[in-house]
Amino acid sequence: MTERQLEHLKLVVYQVYPRSFKDSNGDGIGDLNGIIEKLDYIKDLGVNAIWLSPCYKSPNEDNGYDISDYRDIMDEFGTLDDWKRMIAEMHKRGMKLIMDFVANHTSAEHMWFQESRKSKDNPYRDYYYWVDEPLNDWQSVFGGSAWQYDETTNQYYLHSYAVGQPDLNWENPKVQKEMVDVIDYWVNLGVDGFRCDVLDQISKDFENDLNANGPRLHEFIKMLFGRPETEHLFVIGECWGAKENNIKLLTGADRRELSTLFQFDHIVVGYGDGNRFNPVPFTLDDVSDKLIKWQDFMQDNDLVATLFFENHDQPRCVSKFANDTDKRYESATMMATMSFLQKGVPFIYQGQEIGTANPYSENIDDYDDIETVNYYKMNPKNLDEEQLFQNMNYGTRDASRRPMAWDNTENSGFGGKPWIPVYNRYKEINVELDLKAKKSVYRYFQKLISLRLENDAFISGKYENITGDRKGIYVYKRYTETDCYIVVCNFENETELDISTNCSLVLSNCGNRVINGTYVPYECAVYKLNA
Ligand code: GLC
Ligand code: CA
């Protein structure tokens, strides 16, 4: 590991989805001043970096992932001056700011696209992909063909996501230059890193029918981030399709591309054919198998991994993977322990730190997410209404986009009447209650994070899976030459553990115990080996 990689392993990141975090002026939409109000709350958790989902100008067809101006702030969120205050307040508290960077597409309302669609000889025409006939049968991630007919010039353009999210043509050197300029604009304003949206899609391979991981991907990423001006940044690529070989190329320390990446092998467990609306049975062993596989791979290749179970595109982890009713506290803390003490950079998604569970609704008006609403309208498998809603509740991205529940007052303490209904369990699960509770998920996260940050075994230390052929439990070691920790995470059933070691308990979610014996459902514990 290089010095830079070791620096990155000391990060603990908190993701803010600004629209749903905190509304400071009562218009029902979260905003930058709301984030400023809550910076101490975030900081007290022990995190040292914030990833902010897009806050740029946008018509919000895909909640800000459709950008119409890369250099300015969305009106509802505030102004550039608010943003400058926000980053200054973060830096004052020792927290880095990681901005979201959407390079694969713009909004159809972006000036480039407005010009581009006007005529075939418009100077911006080649900023996007225009063709006489669809080149292939690529489907939009949000449903329907990825090729949209446009009357003005009687041609089609490519949109891998919403119709209002045309794909940028990265083969055009002008597009490359524009995007480099956008990075530099924010770097000059002091940002510390970027989370790069669907980054592996910026290079496509039409001949081989690949809409990601095209032949020029590494070249494009180096243009963006392989420069002296960007050397200090922490850069994470969202790379759904990255396989072993590409992961090495994308994140190798000597490659000057990415610091780390998100891949989703452990996240898509439970999604039949990778489809979030297609629930299939699984066990937590299926999940830990993936974690083990990638921990080993990343370590063997000296790469920095990301550690996460949630983000703004995924259901709440207690609901999807564990128990969100009588064992909610145990589930939330066990899932966090299972993930965040491994080797890599932990990412916490807003609300995860109080064990927020999925909402449930069988009313289409409660949904906002374009992917979910399209799924409902298209009903591709012709399901009856009940089954349709069951699948929607299982995988909808709205599950993590309900307003943050700060307390049990009106609108869950979020602000004005929110743009999406409040979370239906907010009276039972909210920040105020959790902080007061005997079993506080937030307080457990605090201990977990400080344990991680204060012991090098969890930063630079080696990872070793010692689960053996046991089922229903995940046991791993983190160690340096001087210290060794054992992390035990039990799944939904009681499990007996018998390991001959002499160690002391340092953290647990079920009270005092010793390493051997019976673990109750969702119990977890961390031990330090005695010298
Ligand atoms: C990423 C984002 C998701 C967005 C999509 C298109 O997957 O995380 O929210 O809809 O890209 O930008
Ligand atoms: Ca507001």
Side-chain angles (χ1 to χ4, degrees):
M1 289 262 158
T2 63
E3 281 302 309
R4 259 175 66 75
Q5 288 181 309
L6 290 174
E7 276 312 303
H8 292 156
L9 287 172
K10 291 179 190 152
L11 293 172
V12 177
V13 187
Y14 186 92
Q15 184 191 351
V16 171
Y17 193 70
R19 203 172 191 77
S20 307
F21 191 60
K22 175 73 185 150
D23 168 26
S24 71
N25 62 351
D27 67 353
I29 297 173
D31 46 55
L32 302 188
N33 284 328
I35 298 172
I36 297 174
E37 271 176 38
K38 295 295 182 187
L39 285 180
D40 288 330
Y41 167 83
I42 299 174
K43 175 69 193 167
D44 284 350
L45 202 52
V47 308
N48 49 30
I50 292 180
W51 153 26
L52 183 64
S53 276
C55 60
Y56 316 98
K57 284 223 178 339
S58 163
N60 285 303
E61 204 169 314
D62 186 22
N63 280 351
Y65 283 93
D66 47 330
I67 298 172
S68 55
D69 182 350
Y70 284 89
R71 290 181 170 75
D72 206 351
I73 303 299
M74 192 186 302
D75 290 330
E76 303 97 299
F77 289 176
T79 63
L80 196 56
D81 279 336
D82 294 331
W83 182 89
K84 287 180 182 164
R85 259 188 316 117
M86 181 190 72
I87 185 171
E89 291 295 327
M90 289 177 182
H91 285 165
K92 209 160 83 187
R93 289 169 177 78
M95 292 191 285
K96 293 184 186 304
L97 173 59
I98 297 159
M99 293 284 275
D100 219 302
F101 176 61
V102 186
N104 180 66
H105 43 267
T106 68
S107 160
E109 291 185 16
H110 195 291
M111 181 275 280
W112 302 336
F113 191 74
Q114 291 294 310
E115 286 297 315
S116 184
R117 78 183 340 165
K118 278 182 184 161
S119 64
K120 288 186 181 169
D121 57 6
N122 187 284
Y124 290 91
R125 188 66 171 179
D126 292 339
Y127 272 47
Y128 300 88
Y129 294 104
W130 290 100
V131 292
D132 289 329
E133 288 296 330
L135 297 184
N136 45 43
D137 62 359
W138 289 356
Q139 297 296 299
S140 151
V141 171
F142 300 153
S145 168
W147 298 97
Q148 175 71 20
Y149 178 70
D150 202 54
E151 269 183 352
T152 321
T153 53
N154 192 25
Q155 282 197 322
Y156 293 78
Y157 68 86
L158 179 67
H159 63 95
S160 299
Y161 294 85
V163 176
Q165 286 170 305
D167 283 41
L168 282 164
N169 171 11
W170 270 79
E171 301 296 325
N172 181 347
K174 285 187 198 151
V175 168
Q176 300 158 11
K177 170 85 171 54
E178 297 274 13
M179 297 316 271
V180 167
D181 287 350
V182 169
I183 292 290
D184 289 345
Y185 174 83
W186 291 103
V187 169
N188 288 332
L189 287 173
V191 316
D192 306 290
F194 294 95
R195 174 271 187 186
C196 305
D197 194 65
V198 293
L199 189 65
D200 54 2
Q201 292 191 273
I202 63 177
S203 172
K204 306 178 208 292
D205 185 346
F206 290 97
E207 261 154 46
N208 294 304
D209 206 22
L210 293 174
N211 128 333
N213 290 308
R216 299 184 70 187
L217 179 63
H218 303 287
E219 178 193 344
F220 294 158
I221 295 178
K222 282 199 176 75
M223 281 178 193
L224 293 167
F225 300 116
R227 301 171 294 135
E229 300 88 316
T230 53
E231 225 160 40
H232 63 291
L233 299 175
F234 176 59
V235 184
I236 317 130
E238 185 197 23
C239 300
W240 281 85
K243 298 277 180 315
E244 280 85 344
N245 191 44
N246 241 342
I247 291 176
K248 284 197 231 171
L249 297 176
L250 288 164
T251 61
D254 55 348
R255 297 272 307 168
R256 311 186 70 183
E257 295 187 29
L258 305 174
S259 314
T260 180
L261 52 69
F262 292 125
Q263 55 89 355
F264 295 84
D265 214 19
H266 63 297
I267 292 289
V268 299
V269 169
Y271 294 161
D273 307 320
N275 180 345
R276 64 173 68 250
F277 300 121
N278 185 14
V280 290
F282 66 91
T283 65
L284 272 170
D285 290 312
D286 301 331
V287 178
S288 58
D289 283 351
K290 302 287 188 190
L291 297 180
I292 294 162
K293 169 179 168 192
W294 291 106
Q295 282 286 298
D296 284 341
F297 175 81
M298 297 305 270
Q299 172 160 280
D300 291 348
N301 292 285
D302 277 328
L303 308 173
V304 174
T306 52
L307 308 173
F308 72 103
F309 275 124
E310 290 191 14
N311 65 31
H312 64 292
D313 293 328
Q314 297 303 326
R316 295 298 186 170
C317 71
V318 286
S319 303
K320 180 175 169 193
F321 295 107
N323 172 315
D324 65 3
T325 55
D326 59 325
K327 292 284 175 202
R328 187 178 60 84
Y329 167 82
E330 288 76 10
S331 294
T333 50
M334 186 283 286
M335 294 292 292
T337 307
M338 167 169 176
S339 177
F340 296 159
L341 292 181
Q342 298 180 118
K343 190 163 189 170
V345 184
F347 284 77
I348 300 160
Y349 178 72
Q350 67 184 42
Q352 186 182 352
E353 75 282 11
I354 56 165
T356 303
N358 281 353
Y360 191 89
S361 167
E362 295 195 0
N363 178 355
I364 186 63
D365 296 336
D366 287 345
Y367 293 86
D368 170 87
D369 167 32
I370 179 168
E371 186 174 12
T372 311
V373 173
N374 284 353
Y375 170 78
Y376 177 80
K377 285 191 201 145
M378 292 176 190
N379 189 0
K381 286 190 182 158
N382 258 318
L383 304 172
D384 61 43
E385 194 81 356
E386 196 187 328
Q387 187 62 53
L388 195 58
F389 273 111
Q390 263 176 32
N391 291 357
M392 282 161 67
N393 278 291
Y394 183 77
T396 180
R397 306 196 299 173
D398 283 330
S400 52
R401 299 176 181 187
R402 297 295 181 108
M404 180 81 180
W406 294 100
D407 56 41
N408 62 10
T409 63
E410 203 187 355
N411 303 327
S412 69
F414 165 73
K417 186 173 183 305
W419 62 279
I420 187 172
V422 289
Y423 175 50
N424 56 312
R425 287 173 68 186
Y426 82 88
K427 295 221 156 126
E428 167 208 348
I429 307 172
N430 63 60
V431 170
E432 196 185 20
L433 259 185
D434 184 80
L435 289 175
K436 280 196 289 206
K438 243 204 192 133
K439 290 178 169 184
S440 161
V441 181
Y442 184 98
R443 303 266 179 238
Y444 184 93
F445 269 60
Q446 282 180 317
K447 288 186 206 151
L448 184 68
I449 293 169
S450 76
L451 178 66
R452 185 186 157 89
L453 291 179
E454 283 160 21
N455 294 287
D456 201 40
F458 295 112
I459 308 290
S460 67
K462 282 218 149 77
Y463 161 89
E464 188 184 333
N465 167 42
I466 54 168
T467 311
D469 50 18
R470 297 179 185 90
K471 291 276 167 248
I473 199 163
Y474 176 29
V475 191
Y476 64 91
K477 245 174 32 182
R478 294 296 312 272
Y479 61 98
T480 59
E481 271 169 23
T482 51
D483 295 315
C484 176
Y485 291 85
I486 296 180
V487 181
V488 181
C489 294
N490 187 37
F491 302 156
E492 70 269 31
N493 298 315
E494 279 193 357
T495 313
E496 292 294 324
L497 192 63
D498 185 4
I499 308 183
S500 48
T501 49
N502 174 10
C503 57
S504 318
L505 183 73
V506 291
L507 182 68
S508 126
N509 69 349
C510 288
N512 206 9
R513 66 158 301 132
V514 293
I515 192 161
N516 289 328
T518 309
Y519 284 78
V520 298
Y522 303 109
E523 181 169 6
C524 66
V526 183
Y527 304 90
K528 184 170 188 193
L529 238 61
N530 296 326

